[in-house]
Amino acid sequence: MAHKGTADATASEKGVYARLEDLVALEYKAKGYSFLPRQPVHSVLAGRPSSRMRGRGLNFEELRGYLPGDDVRTIDWKVTARTREPHVRVYTEERDRPGLLIVDQRSSMFFGSQRAMKSTVAAELAALGAWRVLAQGDRVGALVFDDQNVEEIRPHRSRRTVLRILGAVVEKNHALSAESTVQRQRGMLNEALRAAERLCTTDHVVAIISDFDGVDHESERLVTRLAHHNDVIALPVWDPLTGGLPPGGRVVVSEGELQVEVDLGTEQVRKSMVEQSGKRLGRVLAWSSERGVPVLPLTTAEDTAEQVQRLLGGGPIPGRA
């Protein structure tokens, strides 16, 4: 859908289309949070178990009192001498954790009633995720999809890969238009999830950034299988207008081939649109309890970086009070 008045917007209008320079500039805001299982104490992901798998090295975890069965080689003799009680240093094994971003740029994402289009928020989320994974020293890749195809960018540990991801997102983002003749393909969500399943055999962090239009039982089966050997995070992007439509006025609704103007003054129309959107979001939100997949909804009405920092980091973004 596209809100009336935005259909004729140009790429230079902030919020309608993502700009590559803006996505690159988000690098400095991609700090203070992590998509990895171990999170800051205030994060909504806090408490998830850390990996004990063999990998790149060891991370110091904590200093605690000696317990029967502890390896004597881990005793911290300086602390033991100072406290007169045996203490050991506990480590967890660090491993390579490639990050894969599944980024939705379908026609259903070309809608926004306030700060930005859903498609632009998804682009900003992808940039924040890519920069953060790279900053953590891990490989990052992406599956960027629209109504026609899925572009695959395999994970690599380089700025060039991040820029390639952002370029792919911007290209598909700028192809969106309320006048587009491309037919809407709800099944492309599952195509992207199948591609992720082929690419992520094990131990990836998979972030699904979408409005989840077209989510069905097959989507849930694919997500469950992905989550069995990977850490999956769902990031549904929603717009406040679909949660509380105004009592009057008209909006342009587009399915790609056809555009119609819908009168929101009809109570039945407003109720139908709200119910459809609410059911979809509610279905995805249930993944948290039903499938163990964290679900972090983000709105088009607020700054994307601030929302991510609040959800994953528990504090203000760098450079902001």
Side-chain angles (χ1 to χ4, degrees):
M1 290 193 297
H3 189 248
K4 187 176 182 181
T6 63
D8 298 324
T10 66
S12 62
E13 290 188 65
K14 189 174 180 63
V16 178
Y17 291 101
R19 302 193 309 167
L20 182 60
E21 54 265 41
D22 292 337
L23 301 184
V24 172
L26 285 173
E27 180 179 8
Y28 86 96
K29 292 186 177 181
K31 300 177 181 178
Y33 61 88
S34 173
F35 288 102
L36 297 178
R38 293 191 61 78
Q39 296 292 325
V41 66
H42 298 297
S43 169
V44 294
L45 302 186
R48 300 184 68 201
S50 61
S51 166
R52 303 282 172 171
M53 295 184 65
R54 191 175 304 277
R56 295 176 298 183
L58 296 174
N59 281 328
F60 173 70
E61 181 76 10
E62 64 175 333
L63 189 69
R64 61 166 173 78
Y66 177 86
L67 296 174
D70 284 338
D71 190 335
V72 294
R73 292 175 295 181
T74 63
I75 293 178
D76 189 311
W77 295 106
K78 290 184 178 180
V79 175
T80 296
R82 187 170 64 250
T83 62
R84 298 181 182 275
E85 294 287 342
H87 281 74
V88 296
R89 296 177 70 86
V90 180
Y91 295 88
T92 54
E93 292 185 78
E94 184 185 10
R95 58 172 170 169
D96 182 33
R97 299 282 293 172
L100 184 74
L101 306 166
I102 303 177
V103 189
D104 191 347
Q105 290 293 305
R106 292 176 297 169
S107 56
S108 65
M109 298 287 287
F110 196 63
F111 177 86
S113 64
Q114 297 190 32
R115 187 192 70 87
M117 296 295 215
K118 291 188 292 183
S119 51
T120 299
V121 173
E124 293 168 343
L125 275 170
L128 290 165
W131 287 125
R132 188 59 192 147
V133 172
L134 182 66
Q136 291 170 169
D138 288 300
R139 292 177 290 141
V140 60
L143 295 167
V144 187
F145 69 102
D146 54 18
D147 291 295
Q148 296 177 297
N149 57 61
V150 180
E151 182 168 350
E152 178 182 308
I153 301 172
R154 288 184 171 272
H156 290 283
R157 193 178 294 112
S158 69
R159 290 181 63 87
R160 185 159 78 172
T161 300
V162 173
L163 294 176
R164 185 183 169 196
I165 292 171
L166 301 186
V169 170
V170 168
E171 182 178 0
K172 290 189 181 297
N173 179 268
H174 282 237
L176 293 170
S177 170
E179 289 83 23
S180 173
T181 58
V182 175
Q183 186 174 3
R184 180 183 180 188
Q185 297 291 343
R186 303 182 75 188
M188 287 304 296
L189 172 63
N190 289 347
E191 287 299 313
L193 292 174
R194 291 187 190 98
E197 188 177 29
R198 291 192 298 269
L199 191 59
C200 303
T201 53
T202 185
D203 300 331
H204 282 65
V205 177
V206 182
I208 309 171
I209 305 169
S210 174
D211 64 355
F212 290 91
D213 182 45
V215 65
D216 56 18
H217 291 300
E218 175 67 5
S219 311
E220 293 169 343
R221 186 187 72 84
L222 290 166
V223 167
T224 301
R225 288 176 54 164
L226 262 176
H228 189 65
H229 296 292
N230 303 278
D231 288 293
V232 178
I233 304 172
L235 300 163
V237 182
W238 63 282
D239 188 90
L241 188 63
T242 56
L245 295 173
R250 308 176 76 85
V251 295
V252 175
V253 182
S254 173
E255 298 288 353
E257 289 187 334
L258 177 67
Q259 275 192 167
V260 295
E261 198 172 62
V262 179
D263 185 359
L264 295 182
T266 305
E267 179 63 29
Q268 183 177 358
V269 171
R270 292 200 308 274
K271 183 178 179 180
S272 175
M273 293 179 70
V274 170
E275 285 181 353
Q276 182 181 13
S277 178
K279 285 180 180 178
R280 185 171 66 211
L281 182 59
R283 185 170 191 167
V284 176
L285 287 171
W287 291 357
S288 182
S289 58
E290 295 176 357
R291 304 174 193 278
V293 173
V295 181
L296 312 180
L298 290 103
T299 173
T300 62
E302 299 179 31
D303 180 83
T304 305
E306 291 182 358
Q307 291 185 79
V308 171
Q309 184 64 39
R310 183 170 66 247
L311 290 169
L312 291 173
I317 63 173
R320 296 293 293 269

Coordinates of all heavy atoms in Angstrom, one line a residue, residues 148-197:
Q148 N 10.1 -10.2 -7.3 CA 10.6 -11.0 -8.5 C 11.6 -12.0 -8.2 O 11.7 -13.0 -8.7 CB 11.0 -10.0 -9.5 CG 9.9 -9.1 -10.1 CD 10.5 -8.1 -11.1 OE1 11.3 -7.2 -10.7 NE2 10.0 -8.2 -12.3
N149 N 12.6 -11.6 -7.3 CA 13.7 -12.5 -7.0 C 14.3 -12.3 -5.7 O 14.0 -11.3 -5.0 CB 14.8 -12.4 -8.1 CG 15.3 -11.0 -8.3 OD1 15.8 -10.4 -7.3 ND2 15.1 -10.4 -9.4
V150 N 15.2 -13.2 -5.3 CA 16.0 -13.1 -4.1 C 17.5 -12.9 -4.5 O 18.0 -13.8 -5.2 CB 15.9 -14.3 -3.2 CG1 16.7 -14.2 -1.9 CG2 14.4 -14.6 -2.9
E151 N 18.1 -11.8 -4.1 CA 19.5 -11.6 -4.4 C 20.3 -12.1 -3.2 O 20.1 -11.7 -2.0 CB 19.8 -10.2 -4.6 CG 21.3 -9.9 -4.9 CD 21.6 -8.5 -5.5 OE1 20.6 -7.8 -5.8 OE2 22.8 -8.2 -5.6
E152 N 21.3 -13.0 -3.5 CA 22.1 -13.6 -2.4 C 23.5 -13.0 -2.3 O 24.2 -13.0 -3.3 CB 22.2 -15.2 -2.6 CG 23.0 -15.9 -1.6 CD 23.2 -17.4 -2.0 OE1 22.1 -18.0 -2.1 OE2 24.3 -17.9 -2.0
I153 N 23.8 -12.6 -1.1 CA 25.2 -12.1 -0.9 C 25.8 -12.9 0.2 O 25.3 -12.8 1.4 CB 25.2 -10.6 -0.5 CG1 24.5 -9.8 -1.7 CG2 26.6 -10.1 -0.2 CD1 24.3 -8.4 -1.3
R154 N 26.7 -13.8 -0.1 CA 27.2 -14.7 0.9 C 28.1 -14.0 2.0 O 28.7 -13.0 1.7 CB 28.1 -15.8 0.2 CG 27.3 -16.8 -0.5 CD 28.1 -17.9 -1.1 NE 27.2 -19.0 -1.7 CZ 26.8 -20.0 -1.0 NH1 27.1 -20.1 0.3 NH2 26.0 -20.9 -1.6
P155 N 28.1 -14.5 3.2 CA 28.7 -13.8 4.3 C 30.3 -13.7 4.1 O 30.9 -14.7 3.8 CB 28.4 -14.7 5.5 CG 27.2 -15.4 5.2 CD 27.3 -15.7 3.7
H156 N 30.8 -12.5 4.3 CA 32.2 -12.3 4.3 C 32.5 -11.2 5.3 O 31.6 -10.4 5.7 CB 32.7 -11.8 2.9 CG 32.7 -12.8 1.9 ND1 33.6 -13.8 1.8 CD2 31.8 -13.1 0.8 CE1 33.3 -14.6 0.8 NE2 32.2 -14.2 0.2
R157 N 33.7 -11.2 5.8 CA 34.1 -10.2 6.8 C 34.9 -9.1 6.2 O 36.1 -9.0 6.2 CB 35.0 -10.9 7.8 CG 35.3 -10.1 9.1 CD 36.1 -10.9 10.1 NE 35.4 -12.1 10.6 CZ 35.8 -13.4 10.3 NH1 36.9 -13.6 9.5 NH2 35.1 -14.4 10.8
S158 N 34.1 -8.1 5.5 CA 34.7 -7.0 4.9 C 33.7 -5.9 4.7 O 32.5 -6.1 4.6 CB 35.3 -7.4 3.5 OG 34.2 -7.7 2.6
R159 N 34.3 -4.6 4.6 CA 33.4 -3.5 4.4 C 32.8 -3.5 3.0 O 31.7 -3.1 2.7 CB 34.2 -2.2 4.5 CG 34.6 -1.9 6.0 CD 35.4 -0.6 6.0 NE 34.6 0.6 5.6 CZ 33.8 1.2 6.4 NH1 33.6 0.9 7.6 NH2 33.1 2.3 5.9
R160 N 33.6 -4.1 2.0 CA 33.1 -4.2 0.7 C 31.8 -5.0 0.6 O 30.9 -4.7 -0.1 CB 34.2 -4.8 -0.2 CG 33.7 -4.8 -1.7 CD 34.9 -4.9 -2.6 NE 35.4 -6.3 -2.7 CZ 36.4 -6.7 -3.5 NH1 36.9 -5.8 -4.3 NH2 36.8 -8.0 -3.5
T161 N 31.7 -6.1 1.5 CA 30.5 -6.9 1.5 C 29.4 -6.1 2.1 O 28.2 -6.2 1.6 CB 30.7 -8.2 2.3 OG1 31.8 -9.0 1.8 CG2 29.5 -9.0 2.4
V162 N 29.6 -5.3 3.1 CA 28.5 -4.5 3.7 C 28.0 -3.5 2.6 O 26.8 -3.3 2.5 CB 29.0 -3.8 4.9 CG1 28.0 -2.8 5.4 CG2 29.4 -4.7 6.1
L163 N 29.0 -2.9 1.9 CA 28.6 -1.9 0.9 C 27.8 -2.6 -0.2 O 26.9 -2.0 -0.8 CB 29.8 -1.2 0.4 CG 30.5 -0.3 1.4 CD1 31.8 0.3 0.8 CD2 29.6 0.8 1.9
R164 N 28.2 -3.8 -0.5 CA 27.4 -4.6 -1.5 C 26.0 -4.9 -1.1 O 25.1 -4.8 -1.8 CB 28.2 -5.9 -1.9 CG 27.5 -6.7 -3.0 CD 28.3 -8.0 -3.2 NE 27.5 -8.8 -4.1 CZ 27.7 -10.1 -4.3 NH1 28.6 -10.7 -3.6 NH2 27.0 -10.9 -5.1
I165 N 25.9 -5.2 0.2 CA 24.5 -5.5 0.8 C 23.7 -4.2 0.7 O 22.5 -4.2 0.3 CB 24.7 -6.0 2.2 CG1 25.3 -7.4 2.3 CG2 23.3 -5.9 2.9 CD1 25.6 -7.8 3.7
L166 N 24.3 -3.1 1.1 CA 23.5 -1.8 1.1 C 23.2 -1.4 -0.3 O 22.1 -0.9 -0.5 CB 24.3 -0.7 1.8 CG 24.7 -1.0 3.3 CD1 25.4 0.2 3.9 CD2 23.5 -1.5 4.1
G167 N 24.1 -1.6 -1.2 CA 23.8 -1.3 -2.6 C 22.6 -2.1 -3.2 O 21.8 -1.6 -3.9
A168 N 22.6 -3.4 -2.8 CA 21.5 -4.3 -3.3 C 20.1 -3.8 -2.7 O 19.1 -3.8 -3.4 CB 21.8 -5.7 -2.9
V169 N 20.2 -3.4 -1.4 CA 19.0 -3.0 -0.7 C 18.5 -1.7 -1.4 O 17.3 -1.5 -1.7 CB 19.2 -2.8 0.8 CG1 18.0 -2.1 1.4 CG2 19.5 -4.1 1.5
V170 N 19.4 -0.8 -1.6 CA 19.0 0.5 -2.2 C 18.4 0.3 -3.6 O 17.4 1.0 -4.0 CB 20.2 1.5 -2.2 CG1 19.9 2.7 -3.1 CG2 20.5 1.9 -0.8
E171 N 19.0 -0.5 -4.4 CA 18.6 -0.8 -5.8 C 17.1 -1.3 -5.8 O 16.3 -0.8 -6.5 CB 19.5 -1.8 -6.5 CG 19.1 -2.1 -7.9 CD 20.0 -3.0 -8.6 OE1 21.0 -3.5 -8.0 OE2 19.7 -3.3 -9.8
K172 N 16.8 -2.3 -4.9 CA 15.5 -2.8 -4.9 C 14.5 -1.8 -4.2 O 13.3 -1.7 -4.6 CB 15.4 -4.1 -4.1 CG 16.1 -5.3 -4.9 CD 15.9 -6.6 -4.2 CE 16.5 -7.7 -4.9 NZ 16.0 -7.9 -6.3
N173 N 15.0 -1.0 -3.3 CA 14.2 0.0 -2.6 C 13.8 1.1 -3.6 O 12.6 1.5 -3.6 CB 15.0 0.6 -1.5 CG 14.3 1.7 -0.7 OD1 14.4 2.9 -1.1 ND2 13.5 1.3 0.3
H174 N 14.7 1.5 -4.5 CA 14.3 2.6 -5.4 C 13.5 2.1 -6.6 O 12.9 2.9 -7.3 CB 15.6 3.2 -5.9 CG 16.2 4.2 -5.0 ND1 16.5 5.5 -5.3 CD2 16.6 4.0 -3.7 CE1 17.0 6.1 -4.2 NE2 17.1 5.2 -3.3
A175 N 13.3 0.8 -6.7 CA 12.5 0.2 -7.8 C 11.0 0.2 -7.3 O 10.1 0.0 -8.2 CB 12.9 -1.2 -8.1
L176 N 10.8 0.5 -6.0 CA 9.4 0.5 -5.5 C 8.7 1.7 -6.0 O 9.2 2.8 -6.0 CB 9.4 0.4 -4.0 CG 9.9 -1.0 -3.4 CD1 10.1 -0.8 -1.9 CD2 8.9 -2.1 -3.7
S177 N 7.4 1.6 -6.3 CA 6.6 2.7 -6.7 C 5.1 2.3 -6.6 O 4.8 1.1 -6.9 CB 6.9 3.2 -8.1 OG 6.0 4.1 -8.6
A178 N 4.3 3.2 -6.3 CA 2.8 2.9 -6.3 C 2.3 2.7 -7.7 O 1.3 2.1 -7.9 CB 2.1 4.1 -5.6
E179 N 3.1 3.2 -8.7 CA 2.7 3.0 -10.1 C 3.3 1.7 -10.7 O 3.1 1.5 -11.9 CB 3.0 4.2 -10.9 CG 2.2 5.4 -10.6 CD 2.7 6.2 -9.4 OE1 3.9 6.0 -9.1 OE2 1.9 6.9 -8.8
S180 N 4.0 1.0 -9.9 CA 4.7 -0.2 -10.5 C 3.7 -1.2 -11.0 O 2.7 -1.4 -10.5 CB 5.6 -0.8 -9.4 OG 6.1 -2.0 -9.8
T181 N 4.1 -1.8 -12.1 CA 3.3 -2.8 -12.8 C 3.7 -4.3 -12.3 O 3.2 -5.2 -12.8 CB 3.4 -2.7 -14.3 OG1 4.7 -2.9 -14.7 CG2 2.8 -1.4 -14.8
V182 N 4.7 -4.4 -11.5 CA 5.2 -5.7 -11.0 C 4.1 -6.3 -10.1 O 3.5 -5.7 -9.2 CB 6.5 -5.5 -10.2 CG1 6.9 -6.9 -9.6 CG2 7.6 -5.0 -11.0
Q183 N 3.8 -7.5 -10.4 CA 2.7 -8.2 -9.7 C 3.2 -8.6 -8.3 O 4.3 -9.1 -8.1 CB 2.3 -9.5 -10.4 CG 1.1 -10.2 -9.8 CD 0.6 -11.3 -10.7 OE1 1.1 -11.6 -11.7 NE2 -0.5 -11.9 -10.2
R184 N 2.4 -8.4 -7.3 CA 2.7 -8.7 -6.0 C 2.8 -10.2 -5.8 O 2.0 -11.0 -6.2 CB 1.6 -8.2 -5.0 CG 1.8 -8.4 -3.6 CD 0.6 -7.9 -2.8 NE 0.6 -8.1 -1.4 CZ -0.4 -7.8 -0.6 NH1 -1.5 -7.4 -1.0 NH2 -0.2 -8.0 0.7
Q185 N 3.9 -10.6 -5.1 CA 4.1 -12.1 -4.9 C 4.3 -12.3 -3.4 O 5.4 -12.2 -2.8 CB 5.4 -12.5 -5.6 CG 5.3 -12.4 -7.1 CD 4.3 -13.4 -7.7 OE1 4.0 -14.4 -7.1 NE2 3.9 -13.1 -9.0
R186 N 3.3 -12.7 -2.7 CA 3.4 -13.0 -1.3 C 4.2 -14.2 -1.0 O 4.8 -14.3 0.1 CB 1.9 -13.2 -0.7 CG 1.0 -12.0 -1.0 CD -0.4 -12.3 -0.4 NE -0.4 -12.1 1.0 CZ -1.4 -12.4 1.8 NH1 -2.5 -13.0 1.3 NH2 -1.3 -12.2 3.1
G187 N 4.4 -15.1 -1.9 CA 5.2 -16.3 -1.7 C 6.7 -16.0 -1.7 O 7.4 -17.0 -1.3
M188 N 7.1 -14.8 -2.0 CA 8.5 -14.6 -2.0 C 9.1 -14.6 -0.6 O 10.3 -14.8 -0.5 CB 8.8 -13.2 -2.7 CG 8.6 -13.2 -4.2 SD 9.7 -14.4 -5.1 CE 11.3 -13.9 -4.7
L189 N 8.3 -14.4 0.4 CA 8.8 -14.5 1.8 C 9.4 -15.9 2.0 O 10.5 -16.1 2.5 CB 7.7 -14.2 2.8 CG 8.0 -14.4 4.3 CD1 9.2 -13.6 4.7 CD2 6.8 -14.2 5.1
N190 N 8.6 -16.9 1.6 CA 9.0 -18.3 1.8 C 10.2 -18.6 0.9 O 11.1 -19.5 1.3 CB 7.9 -19.3 1.5 CG 6.8 -19.2 2.6 OD1 7.0 -18.7 3.7 ND2 5.6 -19.8 2.3
E191 N 10.3 -18.0 -0.3 CA 11.4 -18.3 -1.2 C 12.7 -17.8 -0.5 O 13.8 -18.4 -0.6 CB 11.2 -17.5 -2.5 CG 10.2 -18.2 -3.4 CD 10.7 -19.6 -3.8 OE1 11.8 -19.8 -4.2 OE2 9.8 -20.5 -3.7
A192 N 12.6 -16.6 0.2 CA 13.8 -16.1 0.9 C 14.2 -17.0 2.1 O 15.3 -17.2 2.3 CB 13.5 -14.7 1.4
L193 N 13.2 -17.5 2.8 CA 13.4 -18.4 3.9 C 14.0 -19.7 3.4 O 14.9 -20.3 4.1 CB 12.1 -18.7 4.7 CG 11.5 -17.5 5.4 CD1 10.2 -17.8 6.0 CD2 12.5 -17.0 6.5
R194 N 13.6 -20.2 2.3 CA 14.2 -21.4 1.7 C 15.7 -21.2 1.3 O 16.6 -22.0 1.6 CB 13.4 -21.9 0.5 CG 12.1 -22.5 0.8 CD 11.4 -23.1 -0.4 NE 10.0 -23.4 -0.1 CZ 9.0 -22.6 -0.5 NH1 9.2 -21.5 -1.2 NH2 7.7 -22.9 -0.2
A195 N 15.9 -20.0 0.8 CA 17.3 -19.7 0.4 C 18.2 -19.6 1.7 O 19.4 -20.0 1.7 CB 17.3 -18.3 -0.3
A196 N 17.6 -19.0 2.8 CA 18.3 -19.0 4.0 C 18.6 -20.3 4.6 O 19.7 -20.6 5.1 CB 17.5 -18.2 5.1
E197 N 17.7 -21.2 4.4 CA 17.9 -22.6 4.9 C 19.0 -23.3 4.2 O 19.8 -24.0 4.8 CB 16.6 -23.4 4.8 CG 16.7 -24.8 5.5 CD 15.4 -25.5 5.4 OE1 14.6 -25.3 4.4 OE2 15.1 -26.3 6.3

